[in-house]
């Protein structure tokens, strides 16, 4: 009887731990970008990048390329943060930026926008 009780307790504990360790699969999700909007012209070099929180994401990877990721002359920024916004000082020119959500097991798709700084 004692062995049966221990076995049942171990089984319940294992099932409970499985629920705690389950990580949300965000691989088919995408972050919604708020600003800078696609193809916008900005008149300041202090740019705040903002996006909506993605359910299941623990952090975000933000990348900025000049002028585009396909024809990158420079990757201006490549960082991982927990916030849904970040201020970056840039120079005049054309840029693309992208952001994706990340958790301990999955990554969402990148969402990408282009913008121009003409200060």
């Amino acid at each position: 009887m004692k062995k049966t009780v221990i076995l049942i307790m171990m089984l319940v504990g294992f099932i409970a731990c499985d629920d705690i360790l389950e990580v949300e699969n965000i691989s088919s999700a995408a972050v919604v970008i708020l600003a800078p909007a696609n193809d916008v012209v900005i008149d300041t070099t202090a740019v705040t990048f903002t996006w909506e929180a993605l359910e299941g994401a623990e952090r975000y990877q933000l990348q900025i390329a000049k002028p585009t990721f396909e024809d990158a002359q420079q990757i201006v920024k490549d960082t991982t943060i927990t916030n849904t916004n970040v201020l970056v000082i840039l120079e005049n020119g054309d840029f693309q930026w992208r952001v994706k959500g990340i958790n301990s097991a999955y990554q969402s798709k990148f969402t990408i926008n282009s913008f121009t700084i003409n200060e």
Side-chain angles (χ1 to χ4, degrees), residues 1 21 25 30 49 63 77 79 82 96 98 106 118-119:
M1 176 71 178
L21 298 176
N25 184 347
F49 296 86
Q63 296 179 328
K77 187 90 166 161
T79 188
T82 57
Q96 274 191 331
R98 62 188 182 185
Y106 302 98
N118 190 12
E119 183 180 48

Side-chain angles (χ1 to χ4, degrees), residues 14-64:
F14 178 74
I15 291 170
C17 287
D18 186 46
D19 289 340
I20 292 170
L21 298 176
E22 190 171 322
V23 177
E24 186 170 348
N25 184 347
I26 60 173
S27 60
S28 63
V31 174
V32 175
I33 288 178
L34 300 176
N38 200 36
D39 296 328
V40 70
V41 177
I42 301 170
D43 62 0
T44 180
T45 58
V47 181
T48 301
F49 296 86
T50 307
W51 56 92
E52 291 182 6
L54 179 64
E55 186 176 337
E58 298 164 357
R59 57 196 181 283
Y60 301 91
Q61 182 176 10
L62 168 72
Q63 296 179 328
I64 306 168

